[in-house]
Amino acid sequence: MSKYRNVPVVVDGMRFASKAEAERYRTLLVKQTIGDVSNLMCQVPIELAPAVRLPGAARKTPALRYVADFRYVDRWGRTIYEDVKGAPLTAAYKIKRHLLAARGIYIVEIRA
């Protein structure tokens, strides 16, 4: 069982971290079918910082990434990033959210 008691779910051959995330996916699929959203994508990585070689390291550390649960284009042409949140927000998430906001990318948090 996970730390926050979420139960992974498989929908359309895709694994979602929780029932709430899977339900949001189903809702977004309906919205896409009726034309409210388009270009729906799941688990979209956004690079926060490139890979770097730290002093004394033999190889580069990997790039830092945030993975949004969903990305889509709304009916007004805006790109929307969403994350389904059911547990308290972690410190790591708050830092990533801040770094994204500094670049003009805002995460819509869907509370489960």
Side-chain angles (χ1 to χ4, degrees), residues 30-56:
V30 170
K31 288 178 172 278
Q32 183 166 259
T33 301
I34 63 175
D36 283 348
V37 304
S38 61
N39 301 326
L40 175 62
M41 296 180 69
C42 302
Q43 301 302 307
V44 180
I46 304 168
E47 188 172 287
L48 298 170
V52 296
R53 179 170 288 140
L54 299 171

Side-chain angles (χ1 to χ4, degrees), residues 11-45:
V11 175
D12 295 339
M14 293 184 290
R15 184 182 181 278
F16 294 93
S18 67
K19 292 178 185 177
E21 189 178 324
E23 187 58 35
R24 182 62 183 163
Y25 171 71
R26 288 185 189 104
T27 298
L28 290 171
L29 280 180
V30 170
K31 288 178 172 278
Q32 183 166 259
T33 301
I34 63 175
D36 283 348
V37 304
S38 61
N39 301 326
L40 175 62
M41 296 180 69
C42 302
Q43 301 302 307
V44 180

Side-chain angles (χ1 to χ4, degrees), residues 11-108:
V11 175
D12 295 339
M14 293 184 290
R15 184 182 181 278
F16 294 93
S18 67
K19 292 178 185 177
E21 189 178 324
E23 187 58 35
R24 182 62 183 163
Y25 171 71
R26 288 185 189 104
T27 298
L28 290 171
L29 280 180
V30 170
K31 288 178 172 278
Q32 183 166 259
T33 301
I34 63 175
D36 283 348
V37 304
S38 61
N39 301 326
L40 175 62
M41 296 180 69
C42 302
Q43 301 302 307
V44 180
I46 304 168
E47 188 172 287
L48 298 170
V52 296
R53 179 170 288 140
L54 299 171
R59 58 189 167 139
K60 286 184 172 183
T61 62
L64 295 178
R65 291 184 177 87
Y66 166 75
V67 179
D69 290 337
F70 306 105
R71 181 180 77 194
Y72 56 87
V73 177
D74 70 10
R75 63 182 351 165
W76 297 278
R78 298 176 297 197
T79 299
I80 307 295
Y81 293 90
E82 282 190 2
D83 207 338
V84 177
K85 294 292 183 195
L89 302 180
T90 64
Y93 172 75
K94 289 177 183 179
I95 291 168
K96 291 176 181 183
R97 180 180 63 183
H98 181 101
L99 293 171
L100 288 166
R103 294 175 42 196
I105 300 171
Y106 299 94
I107 305 300
V108 175

